[in-house]
């Protein structure tokens, strides 16, 4: 009985489509081929569909026989809240002062957003006999807006972190008495190091950086490294670091190199520096990086912790949850850094 009723409704719908085509001929052909999803509905309750073009069927995933004579509301009913259904009904009555943006579901359950335009079709006496409904797919627009919001939120987060880092640099540089020129140099050099790291990450769309590229970028300003490969060695796979990890490691390398140029292996013509790294044998998500100086001037342990030591420990221990060991051995400074490398990728 139920199957017979559905069959009759389907036949009635098809008959209405034939009449619709005969009466509106060329317009129907044009509507059928346009890329804008369109349907015509009857004025009966529920707004049964009497015509649907190919674009509408493609957008919604329905076959023509599944749409004809079906209530337009029923095509939206799955997953649509009552408030939305009320808005759609208001649009059919011409009571909306704007085109509603509706969250639809396709036949397969996937979702899309569309703006709905409802126009009445009247006879010669001005009586509404049909409704013409067109949809504008807003899915990509919505997704772009969501992505823009995410990027703005991410940018705000990065800017705040960067400003916090700059604030720390300035605060620590001013904490101890020094000549204005020395203070300026301390601040400028560290901000430039931060800027170079940002440039490297920007080139990779902030998806992180390889450790080899990071080391090259961090040490490039120290001209003693350029063309002097016999004094500088790097050993290790090009481990990918997240943006947050890359920034902290770059600043730490800058501090170590600054100290080496002023007091350590790069302050004479014979000193050497070796950097190598491996993944921890006990915790495979942790990177162990070593900085080792040799053949420089004899090293004496500092009497107090300098700004460079504070930057390294704050950036790697506090920010990343890593561990830092600085040893001022007579033969040369060594620094062992252990940091997580796989838990920050969401940055």
């Amino acid at each position: 009985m139920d199957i017979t009723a559905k069959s009759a409704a389907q036949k009635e719908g098809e008959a209405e489509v034939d009449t619709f085509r005969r009466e509106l001929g060329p317009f129907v052909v044009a509507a059928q081929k346009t890329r804008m999803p369109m349907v015509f509905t009857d004025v009966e309750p529920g707004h049964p569909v009497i015509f649907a073009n190919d674009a509408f069927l493609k957008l919604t995933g329905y076959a023509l026989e599944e749409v004809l004579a079906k209530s337009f509301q029923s095509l939206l009913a799955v997953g649509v809240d009552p408030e939305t259904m009320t808005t759609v009904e208001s649009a059919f009555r011409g009571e909306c002062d704007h085109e509603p943006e509706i969250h639809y579901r396709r036949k397969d359950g996937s979702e899309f957003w569309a703006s709905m335009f409802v126009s009445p079709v009247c006879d010669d006496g001005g009586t509404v006999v049909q409704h013409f409904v067109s949809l504008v797919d807003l899915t990509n627009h919505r997704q772009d807006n969501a992505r823009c919001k995410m990027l703005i939120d991410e940018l705000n987060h990065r800017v705040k972190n960067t400003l916090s880092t700059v604030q720390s640099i300035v605060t620590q540089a001013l904490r101890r008495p020094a000549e204005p020129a020395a203070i300026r140099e301390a601040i400028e050099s560290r901000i430039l190091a931060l800027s170079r790291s940002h440039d490297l990450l920007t080139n990779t769309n902030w998806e992180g950086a390889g450790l080899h590229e990071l080391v090259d970028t961090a040490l490039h300003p120290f001209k003693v490294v350029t063309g002097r490969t016999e004094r500088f060695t790097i050993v290790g796979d090009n481990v990918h670091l997240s943006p947050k990890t890359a920034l902290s490691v770059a600043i730490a390398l800058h501090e170590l190199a600054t100290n080496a140029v002023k007091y350590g292996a790069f302050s004479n013509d014979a000193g050497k520096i070796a950097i190598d790294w491996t993944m921890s044998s006990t915790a495979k998500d942790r990177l162990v990086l070593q900085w080792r100086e040799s053949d420089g001037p004899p090293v004496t342990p500092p009497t107090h912790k300098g700004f460079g030591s504070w930057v390294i420990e704050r950036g790697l221990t506090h920010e990343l949850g890593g561990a830092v060991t600085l040893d001022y051995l007579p033969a040369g400074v060594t620094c062992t850094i252990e940091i997580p490398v796989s838990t920050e990728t969401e940055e």
Side-chain angles (χ1 to χ4, degrees):
M1 186 67 178
D2 191 37
I3 295 177
T4 303
K6 287 184 178 180
S7 178
Q10 181 69 32
K11 290 179 180 179
E12 183 180 348
E14 291 174 352
E16 288 195 45
V17 171
D18 290 337
T19 302
F20 185 74
R21 288 180 181 277
R22 286 195 302 271
E23 292 177 351
L24 297 179
F27 174 76
V28 173
V29 173
Q32 184 69 49
K33 299 303 180 183
T34 184
R35 290 181 293 178
M36 175 176 283
M38 296 179 179
V39 297
F40 275 82
T41 69
D42 207 340
V43 291
E44 296 177 7
H47 314 289
V49 176
I50 60 175
F51 169 82
N53 70 354
D54 292 341
F56 179 84
L57 300 176
K58 181 178 179 181
L59 178 64
T60 61
Y62 289 102
L64 182 61
E65 58 271 15
E66 295 174 307
V67 171
L68 293 180
K70 292 290 183 65
S71 162
F72 183 79
Q73 297 283 50
S74 70
L75 299 177
L76 312 180
V78 179
V80 176
D81 58 87
E83 183 180 352
T84 298
M85 299 295 281
T86 301
T87 301
V88 171
E89 194 61 43
S90 297
F92 274 101
R93 293 195 302 266
E95 298 174 354
C96 281
D97 57 0
H98 64 283
E99 289 73 32
E101 294 183 3
I102 309 299
H103 193 193
Y104 296 93
R105 286 185 185 271
R106 298 181 179 87
K107 179 184 176 181
D108 62 6
S110 60
E111 301 176 353
F112 68 97
W113 282 89
S115 183
M116 185 177 75
F117 299 80
V118 180
S119 301
V121 179
C122 302
D123 61 15
D124 294 338
T127 301
V128 177
V129 293
Q130 294 166 354
H131 283 99
F132 170 56
V133 183
S134 59
L135 302 177
V136 176
D137 188 359
L138 300 177
T139 306
N140 290 337
H141 176 69
R142 287 265 182 163
Q143 291 173 343
D144 288 344
N145 283 347
R147 176 168 174 78
C148 286
K149 183 181 183 304
M150 180 192 70
L151 291 176
I152 290 172
D153 290 343
E154 186 176 346
L155 178 61
N156 286 335
H157 175 70
R158 289 175 184 166
V159 169
K160 287 179 181 178
N161 284 345
T162 300
L163 291 176
S164 176
T165 302
V166 172
Q167 182 183 30
S168 297
I169 289 172
V170 174
T171 300
Q172 291 301 317
L174 296 174
R175 180 163 291 180
R176 296 182 177 86
E179 292 295 324
I183 295 175
R184 184 182 66 184
E185 191 279 331
I187 294 174
E188 287 182 350
S189 65
R190 290 172 175 95
I191 291 178
L192 287 174
L194 187 64
S195 174
R196 285 189 296 272
S197 301
H198 273 255
D199 288 341
L200 175 63
L201 291 171
T202 299
N203 291 335
T204 62
N205 296 318
W206 279 80
E207 294 177 355
L211 191 44
H212 276 286
E213 290 78 19
L214 189 67
V215 171
D216 290 342
T217 299
L219 300 183
H220 179 73
F222 301 93
K223 300 301 182 182
V224 68
V225 178
T226 306
R228 304 293 297 275
T229 56
E230 73 279 3
R231 297 185 61 186
F232 192 79
T233 57
I234 303 174
V235 177
D237 295 333
N238 196 23
V239 177
H240 182 270
L241 302 181
S242 73
K244 182 177 180 180
T245 303
L247 288 175
S248 295
V249 171
I251 292 173
L253 291 173
H254 173 84
E255 295 302 328
L256 289 168
T258 297
N259 184 75
V261 168
K262 290 182 176 180
Y263 314 110
F266 282 158
S267 65
N268 65 15
D269 295 329
K272 299 181 181 64
I273 293 179
I275 300 178
D276 61 76
W277 57 83
T278 58
M279 298 304 293
S280 172
S281 58
T282 56
K284 293 187 177 180
D285 64 339
R286 297 181 75 83
L287 176 76
V288 179
L289 182 149
Q290 289 190 313
W291 169 288
R292 295 192 300 271
E293 300 182 24
S294 60
D295 297 334
V299 175
T300 56
T303 56
H304 64 275
K305 185 178 294 186
F307 179 41
S309 301
W310 179 88
V311 168
I312 294 171
E313 292 177 355
R314 180 185 182 278
L316 300 175
T317 305
H318 176 69
E319 297 291 341
L320 301 182
V324 177
T325 303
L326 267 171
D327 291 318
Y328 297 90
L329 305 176
V333 172
T334 66
C335 180
T336 302
I337 298 169
E338 184 178 334
I339 51 174
V341 294
S342 64
T343 59
E344 302 290 342
T345 54
E346 70 275 6
E347 289 283 340

